């Protein structure tokens, strides 16, 4: 049974088990620092599909199938799938997963979606509502650019604070601990974030908009559990990029919780910022999903990482809200993984 | 603890309690058959806001505040809020609820969102992950028309199979049964639907696209629980409209589960189809939310209705997927309410 700890944190007494995971990425991501860690790197942004949206759907579909295969499971072994993405009406998820015939629960948390799907799935497994559940999300540079910004053909200039939407998908399969007592990685706790809005209106500087939400949830978690940054091997945010990450470090220092020695950000990890011209770093649901579902969980499986706080951050705006002069509300959800 | 029954159904052993509910609607809905049942009817589609999107956000905000007030609760008494809507990136929910300071979990199920938010909230309360949780959703005719179809100024003609997106929001507050033993309405079971796609491509005939998904989930539930339509006072779908409702009745008859004597549809209830020129009926997340959170829960509180299967149906498409020649995948989620 899950039990509430402090004001916002939920402890998972049974430690739902990670049964399998997979990351599928595009060409640019495959050429990044963790190219060798992904299960599949595509050389073509369309994946041979007729549109970028269909290509993104396929990223999710492949991420789930590979993770199921690695866990020696079939789609019929899974009780429910939690999925979401950045496209309007979450069509990467709905079209990418419709063939799976698994009860489908669409989630929307913008770039915090991987943490949200993982957190909700873990609670379903912890409570017995599901024996096995899948969490998956994706993003695609081309489908996101034309939906949120400009047609690619226009060649719009990017500001230094802008982040590059990753073409990637990541998937995790969770199972009830009693059936998988020896699984090396388990989920220990989750903290769902409240919406935070500091009034930032620059949609080309989402890291700055999301940093306060990340700080809010991280502080809630540390307060609820009475722990400190140094109690963990890694505080992994996704995706604040360069600007947001340094803002978060500052905000946490002011709260007396210095995370600099253990903090890393998926948006800073997925690309080589020197060589790959991604300005402030990577972003998109698929960015944190691909980093978590490759090098991070691999290092935990290998015993190189043990205590990881995964903190997904999302900017809850749309082109319409920005056009109407609105600021960018943000949210961050936390999952504590232990091996 | 929730317990799995059959292949797809989850039984809620503690029967999470309905602590409060509210429905807030627009002018046309207020002039409909259930105008007297809503907590608030607005005479102006903008609610005095600068845009229809901001007006829709306000519908959700009011629905939550009124429900909290009716339950004698404050926002700080609630552990998490499950919300979603039809707008891109769910901005009615994110902007409408950002001031509440309640952990926020965005849900996307198109018009099945009220059932999905209610079902997930009930599992959080059942398991102890939340002591109190809120489920809320909304839709707005004007914001939906310009996002999904045409600018209102264009005055596009509507086909006879088209449904009218309701300007409405509904909210339910759930609480753990042990703290509210005398609450009259409780949630007994939920069944999450699988994505069903019969290849329907007409976005002006969503009822036909959604009916097979409704049939699939309803049959799953009857099979899992060994019950029949006649074991319930009402099978309430939302929102199939005229075309989808008759299709569902046919599909269920073929399966030997005749629901005609107990079936009603929120899309057929919310407007007077003779007088209000809504063609096949109402639709939109807010349609089933407003009907459930007014006359239905009121009749259950008054002892006039006891066993209700609430079946939310959603068409998981977007204008982009339709423009790319895709069909309309659909999903339906079921919640069993008892008083």
């Amino acid at each position: 049974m899950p039990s509430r700890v402090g004001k916002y944190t939920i402890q998972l007494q049974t430690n739902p088990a990670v049964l399998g995971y997979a990351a599928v990425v595009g060409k640019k991501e495959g050429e990044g620092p963790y190219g060798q860690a992904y299960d599949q790197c595509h050389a073509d942004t369309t994946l041979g599909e007729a549109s970028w949206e269909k290509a993104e759907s396929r990223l999710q579909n492949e991420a789930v199938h590979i993770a199921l295969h690695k866990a020696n499971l079939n789609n019929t072994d899974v009780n429910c799938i939690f999925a979401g993405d950045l496209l309007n009406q979450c069509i990467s998820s709905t079209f990418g997963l419709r063939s799976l015939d698994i009860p489908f629960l669409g989630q929307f948390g913008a770039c915090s979606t991987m943490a949200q799907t993982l957190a909700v799935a873990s609670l379903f497994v912890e409570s017995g509502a599901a024996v096995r559940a899948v969490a998956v999300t994706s993003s695609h540079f081309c489908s996101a650019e034309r939906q949120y910004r400009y047609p690619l053909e226009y060649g719009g200039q990017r500001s230094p604070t802008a982040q590059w939407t990753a073409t990637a998908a990541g998937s995790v399969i969770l199972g009830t601990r009693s059936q998988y007592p020896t699984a090396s990685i388990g989920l220990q706790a989750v903290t769902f974030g409240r919406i935070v809005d500091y009034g930032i209106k620059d949609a080309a500087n989402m890291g700055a908009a999301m940093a306060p939400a990340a700080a809010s949830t991280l502080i809630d978690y540390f307060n609820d559990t009475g722990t400190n940054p140094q109690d963990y091997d890694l505080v992994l945010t996704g995706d604040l990029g360069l600007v947001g990450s340094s803002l978060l470090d500052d905000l946490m220092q002011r709260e007396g919780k210095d995370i600099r020695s253990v903090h890393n950000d998926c948006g800073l990890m997925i690309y080589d910022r020197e060589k790959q011209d991604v300005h402030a770093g990577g972003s998109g649901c698929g960015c944190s999903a691909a980093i978590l579902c490759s090098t991070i969980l691999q290092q935990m499986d290998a015993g190189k990482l043990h205590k990881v706080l995964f903190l997904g951050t999302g900017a809850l705006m749309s082109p319409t809200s920005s056009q109407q002069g609105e600021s960018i509300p943000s949210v961050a959800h936390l999952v504590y993984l232990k091996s």
Side-chain angles (χ1 to χ4, degrees), chain A:
Chain A
M1 279 316 96
S3 66
R4 297 194 60 83
V5 177
K7 208 164 168 200
Y8 299 107
T9 300
I10 304 164
Q11 222 137 38
L12 305 170
Q13 319 257 3
T14 67
N15 308 337
V18 173
L19 309 182
Y21 50 88
V24 178
V25 304
K27 184 166 183 291
K28 192 183 184 82
E29 294 68 28
E31 294 166 347
Y34 295 95
Q36 298 306 315
Y38 307 121
D39 294 271
Q40 172 101 323
C41 302
H42 288 278
D44 164 16
T45 56
T46 70
L47 281 69
E49 297 287 339
S51 74
W52 290 318
E53 290 74 17
K54 293 176 193 285
E56 186 178 336
S57 288
R58 192 162 141 196
L59 286 175
Q60 270 200 43
N61 187 283
E62 290 181 353
V64 173
H65 277 105
I66 295 171
L68 284 169
H69 178 75
K70 289 164 77 176
N72 297 313
L73 293 169
N74 298 316
N75 57 326
T76 51
D77 299 319
V78 177
N79 298 123
C80 48
I81 188 160
F82 299 87
D85 57 86
L86 294 173
L87 295 187
N88 300 342
Q89 289 73 58
C90 300
I91 55 172
S92 335
S93 305
T94 57
F95 286 90
L97 307 174
R98 68 177 156 181
S99 62
L100 286 171
D101 200 41
I102 299 172
F104 174 88
L105 286 101
Q107 304 292 303
F108 181 75
C111 298
S112 72
T113 302
M114 190 66 219
Q116 180 176 326
T117 55
L118 199 54
V120 180
S122 72
L123 282 165
F124 269 55
V125 169
E126 164 90 356
S127 72
V131 176
R132 293 175 210 85
V134 173
V136 60
T137 183
S138 67
S139 55
H140 191 300
F141 177 76
C142 304
S143 61
E145 280 300 302
R146 71 172 166 187
Q147 177 181 285
Y148 285 99
R149 299 168 188 94
Y150 307 104
L152 285 184
E153 299 79 358
Y154 170 69
Q157 291 297 301
R158 306 164 60 77
S159 76
T161 58
Q163 291 171 247
W164 187 280
T165 305
T167 298
S171 168
V172 175
I173 298 164
L174 298 180
T176 181
R177 178 56 67 176
S178 58
Q179 290 200 22
Y180 301 95
T182 60
S184 60
I185 308 172
L187 277 69
Q188 302 267 323
V190 303
T191 305
F192 293 109
R194 293 161 287 148
I195 296 175
V196 176
D197 190 338
Y198 273 25
I200 306 258
K201 293 189 174 189
D202 181 1
N205 190 2
M206 305 247 230
M210 296 187 289
S216 163
T217 302
L218 205 46
I219 289 158
D220 286 343
Y221 175 79
F222 287 135
N223 289 342
D224 289 343
T225 57
T227 60
N228 290 297
Q230 289 61 42
D231 296 324
Y232 302 91
D233 301 324
L234 175 66
V235 172
L236 182 71
T237 51
D239 314 293
L240 296 173
L242 190 66
V243 180
S245 292
S246 67
L247 280 171
L248 174 61
D249 292 349
D250 293 349
L251 289 167
M252 293 306 290
Q253 268 182 281
R254 289 189 208 166
E255 297 289 331
K257 301 282 187 185
D258 191 339
I259 62 171
R260 287 174 301 171
S261 60
V262 291
H263 179 211
N264 205 345
D265 181 74
C266 299
L268 292 174
M269 295 170 72
I270 194 164
Y271 300 116
D272 180 330
R273 288 186 48 258
E274 304 302 313
K275 302 199 188 106
Q276 294 188 288
D277 185 33
V278 293
H279 298 233
S283 70
C285 305
C287 178
S288 59
I291 291 294
L292 177 76
C293 300
S294 60
T295 181
I296 302 301
L297 291 176
Q298 285 161 11
Q299 289 182 66
M300 293 185 76
D301 264 334
K304 295 175 190 161
L305 270 176
H306 295 287
K307 297 171 154 195
V308 175
L309 294 182
F310 174 55
L311 184 60
T313 60
L316 305 173
M317 42 71 73
S318 80
T320 301
S321 65
S322 295
Q323 285 157 14
Q324 293 182 3
E326 267 292 0
S327 54
I328 303 174
S330 298
V331 73
H333 301 301
L334 179 147
V335 177
Y336 173 27
L337 298 123
K338 191 174 174 209
S339 72

